[in-house]
Amino acid sequence: MADAAQQKLHAKLGGAYVWGPLTALGLAVAVLTCLADQASKLWLLFDFDLANRARVALTPFLDFALTWNTGISYGLLPRQGPAGQLALLGVQIAAVIFLWVWLARAPSRLTAAALGLIIGGAIGNAIDRLHWPGVMDFALFHVETATWSFNWYVFNLADVAIVAGVVGLLYESLWRGGAVKAP
């Protein structure tokens, strides 16, 4: 009986906003996502030496091409000086806090994993903002024919994780009907 009372008190004091039954899963996915993102960037910079190479073709449709994104997604709202960098970092921190509260309320493993992918990707890109001139993007998807050419924006593993997380949340809410609404 005391245990149930403790749980109610914990929930009333904000525990439900910080930790839920699937938070550990989401946290594990976030940590693995961030580590994979940062490891890929460090390898490409220091071992592969992408900064001193031109565009490197991997397949007929995918190249390595180093760019520094000083804005948000797709280079929108490029930052201007230290104040702009701090503002974008503040937005990322606020987003991670919001997503963490959502994660604490996640009703399924898919929602928790999807939120973990988004959180890990956001943290990976935030780490870049703290250490580099912007977010390191390196993957360029493109399609070229004799009469037509298409180049997608340059992206990184954090961006892929964020998109995969959003797709997971959309799948859960549209087809499974189980995603918890954002707080």
Side-chain angles (χ1 to χ4, degrees):
M1 187 154 194
D3 190 37
Q6 263 185 332
Q7 287 179 348
K8 276 186 176 180
L9 179 63
H10 178 69
K12 284 183 179 180
L13 294 176
Y17 291 107
V18 178
W19 201 265
L22 296 170
T23 303
L25 171 64
L27 178 60
V29 171
V31 167
L32 290 173
T33 298
C34 184
L35 287 174
D37 173 65
Q38 289 297 300
S40 68
K41 292 170 181 175
L42 292 172
W43 179 79
L44 285 165
L45 274 178
F46 297 112
D47 290 337
F48 191 74
D49 196 25
L50 187 57
N52 291 317
R53 295 180 183 216
R55 210 162 126 173
V56 178
L58 299 175
T59 70
F61 57 87
L62 185 67
D63 296 350
F64 280 152
L66 179 63
T67 63
W68 297 101
N69 182 352
T70 60
I72 57 173
S73 296
Y74 310 116
L76 298 172
L77 303 174
R79 67 174 161 91
Q80 301 294 324
Q85 181 181 17
L86 287 174
L88 285 177
L89 194 57
V91 168
Q92 283 181 306
I93 290 169
V96 167
I97 291 169
F98 172 79
L99 292 167
W100 189 279
V101 170
W102 190 357
L103 173 61
R105 300 171 57 204
S108 73
R109 295 173 62 83
L110 178 57
T111 298
L115 290 168
L117 286 168
I118 297 168
I119 290 168
I123 292 172
N125 282 341
I127 290 170
D128 285 9
R129 288 191 197 289
L130 292 172
H131 295 290
W132 309 111
V135 173
M136 181 185 164
D137 290 329
F138 57 82
L140 172 63
F141 174 74
H142 59 90
V143 178
E144 296 173 20
T145 68
T147 59
W148 182 74
S149 176
F150 171 78
N151 288 310
W152 187 248
Y153 296 95
V154 183
F155 58 94
N156 59 42
L157 288 182
D159 300 332
V160 172
I162 291 167
V163 169
V166 169
V167 168
L169 292 175
L170 287 173
Y171 171 78
E172 179 119 278
S173 68
L174 294 175
W175 286 283
R176 289 181 61 189
V180 68
K181 298 210 182 312

